[in-house]
Amino acid sequence: MNTENSLNSKFVTEGSWRADLFKGKVAFVTGGAGTICRVQTEALVLLGCKAAIVGRNQERTERAAKEISGLVKDEDAVLAIADVDVRSFKQMEDAVRITVQKFGRIDFVIAGAAGNFICDFANLSPNAFKSVIDIDLLGSFNTAKACLKELKKSKGSILFVSATFHYYGVPFQGHVGAAKAGIDALAKNLAVELGPLGIRSNCIAPGAIDNTEGLKRLAGEKYREKALAKIPLQRLGSTRDIAESTVFIFSPAASYITGTVLVVDGGMWHLGTYF
Ligand code: HXC
């Protein structure tokens, strides 16, 4: 387990949240075996939630489920649903059915599965652009749509995972920026359409989060030194920062918040450039 990107019981005993905040709740998380969404899941589970994590890679998804379950010493706390591609609505429907068979309900949805690579516009093939749009945007749509019936029953809450790239132009990230802009739009649209059903829909937009695959690929090792000049709060973000905001959004404290993109980036995007 990567301890830099993992929570432990101190999150409950020394943290800001009540230990049983999410007791009886169930989360459905795509990308839950990845870095950011995994720690989001850890936080929910440490606060009493059960979770299903959905991923493409069987070994990775099952290992993550086992490790997150281990945090609460309950091997049934997290269900791994592997060999699922968010681009397939049918596979997402099946994953939702398996989750409900196991846990009986879905209260929280994190649509976090994402694909990314660095590529300039001149070399970006139409299929490469489409692949990222399909994983990030269509995948988010499929996730929310497959969960809709359960969210109606639970009056639940959806959290999409966006970015800040599309607030300005970030070189070599046109495909991702376009997809994330669509995700923001989708989150706002669902807030308006599903609000009357008691369902909240929000987005979280992480900034530069330390020790993540995305940041390593995008910025390389030199990024850390440059960051202080670019981030008003004078530090890179942590996966815990994203997890804390996730807990807030799903908590009753945020019950009047919907259609919001919560930017968690230390104030970085206000400087108007990523690098
Ligand atoms: C240019 C590339 C490329 C690259 C793939 N392609 N990698 N083009 N540069 N590095 C092109 C291929 O040539 C092909 O186009 C098309 O993309 C589809 O490639 P496939 O490999 O067939 O697609 P697929 O197997 O579906 O893989 C999707 C993927 C891959 C996005 C390309 O990287 C992936 O599965 N990633 C998931 C994991 C991941 O990326 N996680 C990071 C998330 S971090 P042609 O024309 O040849 O057919 C994140 C946060 C960002 O998103 C924040 C950063 C700070």
Side-chain angles (χ1 to χ4, degrees):
M1 191 194 298
N2 175 357
T3 49
E4 276 168 344
N5 279 318
S6 190
L7 301 175
N8 57 40
S9 57
K10 285 187 184 167
F11 184 73
V12 181
T13 54
E14 296 172 13
S16 311
W17 311 102
R18 217 181 58 217
D20 64 348
L21 186 62
F22 295 133
K23 193 163 176 234
K25 304 289 188 188
V26 176
F28 181 89
V29 185
T30 68
T35 310
I36 288 179
C37 300
R38 177 204 165 111
V39 181
Q40 289 176 296
T41 309
E42 288 180 355
L44 300 179
V45 169
L46 281 163
L47 297 171
C49 200
K50 304 282 189 192
I53 58 172
V54 177
R56 271 200 281 175
N57 182 297
Q58 180 164 7
E59 194 267 327
R60 208 166 163 227
T61 307
E62 286 177 354
R63 192 178 63 234
K66 200 167 166 214
E67 288 176 356
I68 303 168
S69 295
L71 294 175
V72 290
K73 300 182 175 52
D74 172 6
E75 64 184 25
D76 282 334
V78 183
L79 174 67
I81 308 177
D83 295 317
V84 178
D85 190 325
V86 292
R87 291 172 281 193
S88 162
F89 182 61
K90 165 80 172 57
Q91 288 180 23
M92 293 308 294
E93 284 187 307
D94 290 346
V96 167
R97 199 185 59 253
I98 293 165
T99 303
V100 175
Q101 270 167 4
K102 168 84 175 170
F103 294 128
R105 57 190 291 141
I106 293 173
D107 300 274
F108 308 138
V109 176
I110 298 177
N116 191 10
F117 49 80
I118 308 296
C119 190
D120 64 300
F121 179 72
N123 287 299
L124 189 67
S125 75
N127 192 42
F129 182 82
K130 182 176 182 301
S131 295
V132 171
I133 297 288
D134 283 355
I135 296 170
D136 291 25
L137 181 52
L138 177 64
S140 294
F141 171 89
N142 285 342
T143 303
K145 195 167 173 69
C147 291
L148 180 58
K149 200 170 119 203
E150 294 305 319
L151 288 169
K152 276 186 194 169
K153 286 191 231 161
S154 63
K155 297 197 185 303
S157 182
I158 310 170
L159 185 63
F160 296 93
V161 180
S162 185
T164 57
F165 300 147
H166 49 297
Y167 301 166
Y168 33 68
V170 173
F172 319 134
Q173 288 287 278
H175 42 319
V176 181
K180 298 296 190 184
I183 291 171
D184 285 2
L186 182 64
K188 287 171 190 286
N189 175 268
L190 295 194
V192 173
E193 284 196 32
L194 306 183
L197 302 174
I199 300 170
R200 294 187 297 116
S201 164
N202 292 290
C203 233
I204 194 163
I209 305 300
D210 209 357
N211 296 309
T212 55
E213 181 62 29
L215 189 62
K216 278 180 201 149
R217 279 195 212 170
L218 188 57
E221 289 305 323
K222 286 192 194 142
Y223 185 80
R224 205 165 295 208
E225 296 93 73
K226 289 190 207 161
L228 289 183
K230 295 287 180 190
I231 301 175
L233 288 183
Q234 299 288 288
R235 67 171 176 88
L236 286 168
S238 67
T239 46
R240 179 172 177 154
D241 289 321
I242 306 304
E244 299 274 10
S245 298
T246 300
V247 171
F248 168 65
I249 286 287
F250 285 142
S251 78
S255 65
Y256 201 52
I257 297 176
T258 195
T260 288
V261 180
L262 181 58
V263 178
V264 185
D265 76 338
M268 184 181 186
W269 85 266
H270 297 285
L271 294 184
T273 164
Y274 208 85
F275 293 110

